[in-house]
Amino acid sequence: MATENSLSIGALAKATGTTVETIRWYERVGVLPAPARTSGNYRAYGAAHLERLSFVRRARDLGFTLDQVRELLQLADDRERSCEAVDKVAREHLEEVVRKIADLEALRHELQDLIGQCRHGTVAECRIVQALSPRGGSSRS
Amino acid sequence: MATENSLSIGALAKATGTTVETIRWYERVGVLPAPARTSGNYRAYGAAHLERLSFVRRARDLGFTLDQVRELLQLADDRERSCEAVDKVAREHLEEVVRKIADLEALRHELQDLIGQCRHGTVAECRIVQALSPRGGSSRS
DNA sequence: CTTGACCCTGTAGCGACTAGAGGGTCCATA
DNA sequence: TATGGACCCTCTAGTCGCTACAGGGTCAAG
């Protein structure tokens, strides 16, 4: 560690449950500001970086895209503004999640139907294969 | 259209609800065999291609990966074998879908909690921002 | 002085496409 | 016969969010 009170990239990774590569990547795409460097060209992070990276990780764990994270970070930086916009981002993300759940539920039903119809004979009689084929039925190509 | 009874790539796309680009891509990655060509170097598809592409699309719509699709196609081609393996692929995929639904449900709850706590004040007081921040509380950086 | 853990940059790969550049082909109409 | 426009061709690069190298440099302990 370079000067007093700074974190190496590895230490920051451990502290936030991230990998070193991911941190470098966040810097490249601008979600985490480039830190100071030591004499040996090592990155030296401070408390602000730790805080910011934790924010990013929490948001990513909640399924926000990096674009949304960038937006949230910008909004969160202006502490006096109303949090309406923050609320909006979160609500839109929630809607997206709800949509995805519905899509997957529909998928689940279709798959269960398919699997339930399988009589464990030959492929030629297999309902799963038939359901995947053009006319859902006796395909003799 | 080159000879009698063959489809251009555009016609095949329309018939299967695919795009031309996707079809060419399927050929490149080996899920759809390369068709004959006309004198002008246009792809000329037959009934077998239409059938195979429909199979691929149905399977993709059901959320199977292209690797799984390749596997299913191979299995489906051997009409006399038992359909056990087909069943297995489908069951594994179903399990994956069920896992994803559970993950998204957990996410949905977290997001709903978060949003429900927002009191629409300033960002400084915003529960959403706080929840994303390191110690979930009053961060004065 | 060497070993090994750590760090650096830069590039390529994943899955499943999508988009675009820069051209060629085909057919109907003027 | 010329021309316009719809279609087709190949090749390349971009998407998202990392992950995984390759080929080096730095640093502290023994």
Side-chain angles (χ1 to χ4, degrees):
Chain A
M1 287 118 202
T3 43
E4 38 165 349
N5 205 336
S6 80
L7 292 164
S8 72
I9 194 169
L12 182 63
K14 208 165 280 180
T16 55
T18 321
T19 71
V20 166
E21 287 80 15
T22 300
I23 295 175
R24 282 197 283 248
W25 190 74
Y26 283 167
E27 182 181 322
R28 252 165 75 78
V29 299
V31 261
L32 200 60
R37 296 293 180 117
T38 68
S39 55
N41 200 30
Y42 283 21
R43 287 171 179 82
Y45 295 97
H49 287 103
L50 177 58
E51 217 167 302
R52 202 167 180 89
L53 180 54
S54 302
F55 187 104
V56 173
R57 287 311 307 174
R58 290 266 306 132
R60 291 286 304 130
D61 284 348
L62 287 168
F64 289 96
T65 65
L66 274 190
D67 267 353
Q68 290 172 318
V69 172
R70 262 183 284 257
E71 200 179 339
L72 287 172
L73 281 169
Q74 235 178 352
L75 294 172
D77 277 348
D78 183 358
R79 323 258 316 142
E80 298 314 315
R81 76 152 45 220
S82 118
C83 72
E84 218 176 299
V86 173
D87 196 54
K88 184 157 172 281
V89 172
R91 274 175 203 282
E92 280 171 4
H93 178 43
L94 175 58
E95 271 172 42
E96 183 68 30
V97 169
V98 167
R99 258 196 305 279
K100 272 187 196 160
I101 291 172
D103 286 352
L104 285 176
E105 285 288 3
L107 215 62
R108 181 165 69 85
H109 286 309
E110 278 202 76
L111 284 170
Q112 276 172 340
D113 282 359
L114 228 63
I115 291 168
Q117 289 183 348
C118 179
R119 291 288 162 269
H120 311 290
T122 66
V123 162
E125 316 160 330
C126 183
R127 285 251 155 227
I128 298 174
V129 173
Q130 285 170 20
L132 288 169
S133 295
R135 303 243 143 243
S138 52
S139 65
R140 71 208 114 103
S141 56
Chain B
M1 288 112 198
T3 44
E4 36 164 354
N5 208 333
S6 81
L7 291 165
S8 71
I9 194 170
L12 182 64
K14 207 165 282 178
T16 55
T18 321
T19 71
V20 166
E21 287 80 16
T22 301
I23 294 173
R24 281 197 282 247
W25 190 74
Y26 282 167
E27 181 180 323
R28 252 166 75 79
V29 298
V31 260
L32 199 61
R37 296 293 181 116
T38 68
S39 54
N41 201 31
Y42 284 21
R43 287 171 179 82
Y45 294 97
H49 287 101
L50 177 59
E51 217 166 303
R52 202 167 180 92
L53 180 53
S54 303
F55 187 106
V56 173
R57 289 311 306 176
R58 289 269 305 135
R60 291 286 303 127
D61 285 348
L62 287 167
F64 289 96
T65 66
L66 273 190
D67 267 354
Q68 289 172 318
V69 171
R70 261 183 284 259
E71 200 179 339
L72 287 172
L73 280 169
Q74 235 180 349
L75 294 172
D77 277 349
D78 183 358
R79 324 257 317 143
E80 297 315 313
R81 75 151 48 220
S82 118
C83 72
E84 219 177 299
V86 173
D87 195 54
K88 183 156 172 282
V89 172
R91 272 174 203 283
E92 280 170 4
H93 178 43
L94 175 58
E95 271 172 42
E96 183 67 30
V97 168
V98 168
R99 261 197 304 278
K100 273 188 195 160
I101 290 172
D103 287 353
L104 285 176
E105 285 287 2
L107 217 61
R108 181 166 70 85
H109 286 309
E110 279 202 74
L111 283 170
Q112 277 172 341
D113 281 359
L114 229 63
I115 291 168
Q117 290 182 349
C118 180
R119 291 287 162 269
H120 311 290
T122 66
V123 162
E125 316 160 329
C126 182
R127 285 249 156 230
I128 297 174
V129 173
Q130 285 170 21
L132 288 169
S133 295
R135 303 242 144 246
S138 53
S139 66
R140 71 208 116 100
S141 56

